[in-house]
């Protein structure tokens, strides 16, 4: 913890973490808000899962593209434009009378216009700290983002079930505006310029560590999305218990991230972390009692933030600085497609009448991720004796005053 305190004292680090967490807070609210709203309007978890899938597919398509745009037009312009469109789409979901295809269209527009905050901040991080601090910073970031998943599900479940699903979506739009504005106006966003990439779109994802981060991110987040649908269905959409159980899931991740953040990342690091996740999720199927589910999800959660930290570190360490935003965009795309797949599969399994099916789907997603990490272990870079900084570009990167 002393190391984390020193890290947060580094100029700009605490402000950047706080701003990006606030800007990304709606990420932990929007899927549940949409799920609850569409299920209430249509009476079907399967329909709600389709809308979530459309939203996630839109985010997946946009991720690498909008991230790459930041190297062309600058972070502030791209984030401002996407933020504006996204807010309008969320408001449309809340207030327009729509059928399922209409919800899917607006969901996809909201996904396509999701601001690339995650890619931006993880491109900024290497410019804020020295090389030896970067891996701990990625671990701290992966841990603290669990605050989003601890608080956001409780907040949005409370608002949507006790006040209304329209008000839940309205709250998402308000936080999008406030958090996005704070991030956009942060001095660090104005100081760091991403150089234009010289490679064709998509070439960076062919690098084995980036491809692994994309594939494993797909599977890991797919497992988490299936759990979310399963928990909401298990405790019914009108129960605050669902939000509390999901919050407990994230508490496990937060604890795991802070506890393991100092451990050097070797080739087997991902497999060890995914083993914890897989075992925890497999145990959820034993019974659907709230205390049993809470305990097993805490166990599963312990591996999640550490696994994400490995994904961030191997991605950053494998690319040039000009490629970082796009690389993180592709990794994010993998996660978002995973969220779409996990939500859709779990939603239809729940509609079939067996809530355990959602937890089984989550377990399968995690287990396949574990198998991939073991089979391709030699493709993981060994970061135990090197830092996770991206390689410098051959030409100087301009830094402009804020």
């Amino acid at each position: 913890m002393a190391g984390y305190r020193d890290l947060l004292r580094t100029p700009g680090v605490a402000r950047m973490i706080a701003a990006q967490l606030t800007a990304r807070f709606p990420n932990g609210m929007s899927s549940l808000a949409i799920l609850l709203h569409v299920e209430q309007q249509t009476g079907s978890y399967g329909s709600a899962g389709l809308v979530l899938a459309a939203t996630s597919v839109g985010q997946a398509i946009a991720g690498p593209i909008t991230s790459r745009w930041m190297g062309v037009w600058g972070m502030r312009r791209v984030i401002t434009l996407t933020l504006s469109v996204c807010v309008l789409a969320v408001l449309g979901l809340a207030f327009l009378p729509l059928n399922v295809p209409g919800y899917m269209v607006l969901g996809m527009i909201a996904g396509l216009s999701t601001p690339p905050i995650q890619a931006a901040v993880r491109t900024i991080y290497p410019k804020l700290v020295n090389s030896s601090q970067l891996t701990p910073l990625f671990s701290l970031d992966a841990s603290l983002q669990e605050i989003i998943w601890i608080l956001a599900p409780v907040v949005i479940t409370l608002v949507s079930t006790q006040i209304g699903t329209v008000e839940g979506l309205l709250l998402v739009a308000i936080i999008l505006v406030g958090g996005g504005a704070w991030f956009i106006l942060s001095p660090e966003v104005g100081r760091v310029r991403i150089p234009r990439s010289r490679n064709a779109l998509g070439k960076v994802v062919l690098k084995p560590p980036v491809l692994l981060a994309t594939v494993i991110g797909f599977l890991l987040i797919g497992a988490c999305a299936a759990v979310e649908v399963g928990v909401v269905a298990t405790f019914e959409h009108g129960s605050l218990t669902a939000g509390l159980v999901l919050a407990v899931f994230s508490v496990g991740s937060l604890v795991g991230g802070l506890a393991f953040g100092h451990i050097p990342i070797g080739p087997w690091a991902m497999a060890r972390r995914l083993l914890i996740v897989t075992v925890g999720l497999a145990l959820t199927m034993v019974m659907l009692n709230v205390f049993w589910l809470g305990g097993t999800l805490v166990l599963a959660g312990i591996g999640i933030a550490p696994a994400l930290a490995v994904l961030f570190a191997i991605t950053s360490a494998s690319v040039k600085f000009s490629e970082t935003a796009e690389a993180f965009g592709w990794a994010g795309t993998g996660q978002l497609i995973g969220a779409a797949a996990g939500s859709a599969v779990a939603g239809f399994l729940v509609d079939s009448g067996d809530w355990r099916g959602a937890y089984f789907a989550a377990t399968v997603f995690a287990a396949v991720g574990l198998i991939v990490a073991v089979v391709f272990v030699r493709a993981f870079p060994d970061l135990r004796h090197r830092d996770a900084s991206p390689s410098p570009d051959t030409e100087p990167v301009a830094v402009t005053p804020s």
Side-chain angles (χ1 to χ4, degrees):
M1 295 305 296
Y4 290 135
R5 285 195 297 269
D6 292 340
L7 190 59
L8 289 171
R9 292 191 185 106
T10 303
V13 170
R15 176 172 56 237
M16 198 79 272
I17 289 177
Q20 64 97 5
L21 286 177
T22 306
R24 291 171 54 211
F25 196 81
N27 292 357
M29 305 171 72
S30 58
S31 60
L32 261 177
I34 293 172
L35 179 71
L36 293 169
H37 183 69
V38 176
E39 191 278 332
Q40 184 183 81
Q41 299 300 314
T42 65
S44 168
Y45 280 105
S47 296
L50 284 174
V51 177
L52 284 182
T55 305
S56 297
V57 168
Q59 291 173 320
I61 293 171
I65 297 173
T66 55
S67 298
R68 190 179 175 94
W69 283 353
M70 291 190 292
V72 180
W73 294 303
M75 291 186 191
R76 282 178 168 161
R77 290 181 180 177
V78 173
I79 295 173
T80 300
L81 173 62
T82 53
L83 177 68
S84 301
V85 176
C86 188
V87 169
L88 292 174
V90 171
L91 293 175
L93 285 169
F95 294 111
L96 295 179
L98 301 168
N99 53 19
V100 173
Y103 281 122
M104 291 179 67
V105 169
L106 269 186
M108 177 163 283
I109 292 173
L112 286 168
S113 57
T114 299
I117 303 291
Q118 184 169 256
V121 74
R122 287 170 189 154
T123 300
I124 292 171
Y125 280 158
K127 299 302 179 181
L128 296 182
V129 299
N130 61 49
S131 58
S132 64
Q133 294 177 303
L134 187 55
T135 296
L137 178 55
F138 280 136
S139 295
L140 180 61
D141 178 86
S143 302
L144 291 181
Q145 75 175 5
E146 292 304 323
I147 294 173
I148 297 172
W149 308 107
I150 292 169
L151 296 179
V154 177
V155 171
I156 198 62
T157 303
L158 181 62
V159 173
S160 295
T161 59
Q162 304 305 313
I163 302 176
T165 57
V166 170
E167 287 80 3
L169 287 168
L170 182 60
L171 180 61
V172 171
I174 291 170
I175 299 178
L176 269 171
V177 172
W182 184 11
F183 184 82
I184 291 166
L185 296 174
S186 297
E188 293 75 17
V189 177
R191 291 193 190 113
V192 177
R193 184 182 68 81
I194 304 172
R196 187 190 296 260
S197 177
R198 297 180 177 181
N199 294 325
L201 176 67
K203 186 175 180 180
V204 68
V205 81
L206 299 179
K207 295 185 177 183
V210 179
L211 184 58
L212 273 173
T214 303
V215 172
I216 292 178
F218 162 85
L219 295 164
L220 179 61
I221 302 304
C224 294
V227 166
E228 183 174 278
V229 174
V231 169
V232 170
T234 299
F235 299 105
E236 297 298 333
H237 70 270
S239 172
L240 184 59
T241 305
L244 293 174
V245 171
L246 290 174
V248 166
F249 188 27
S250 295
V251 168
S253 182
L254 174 61
V255 171
L258 293 176
F260 299 149
H262 66 286
I263 298 176
I265 295 173
W268 285 98
M270 179 60 76
R272 288 194 294 267
R273 288 154 171 79
L274 289 179
L275 177 61
I276 297 171
V277 177
T278 303
V279 170
L281 293 180
L283 290 173
T284 60
M285 291 181 287
V286 174
M287 66 179 78
L288 298 183
N289 174 276
V290 61
F291 297 105
W292 178 262
L293 270 180
T296 55
L297 289 178
V298 166
L299 174 60
I302 286 173
I304 291 175
L308 290 172
V310 174
L311 294 183
F312 303 155
I314 65 173
T315 299
S316 177
S318 305
V319 298
K320 294 181 179 179
F321 180 64
S322 61
E323 299 171 322
T324 50
E326 185 186 342
F328 281 118
W330 282 108
T333 286
Q335 295 170 27
L336 291 162
I337 295 176
S343 296
V345 170
F348 282 109
L349 287 173
V350 167
D351 274 349
S352 72
D354 185 3
W355 293 342
R356 283 183 175 84
Y359 303 105
F360 174 74
T363 304
V364 170
F365 272 95
V368 174
L370 172 60
I371 293 170
V372 171
V374 171
V375 172
F376 297 99
V377 65
R378 293 188 177 183
F380 285 88
D382 190 344
L383 303 180
R384 289 174 292 184
H385 306 294
R386 55 168 289 199
D387 62 78
S389 300
S391 303
D393 289 274
T394 54
E395 60 183 50
V397 177
V399 178
T400 58
S402 60

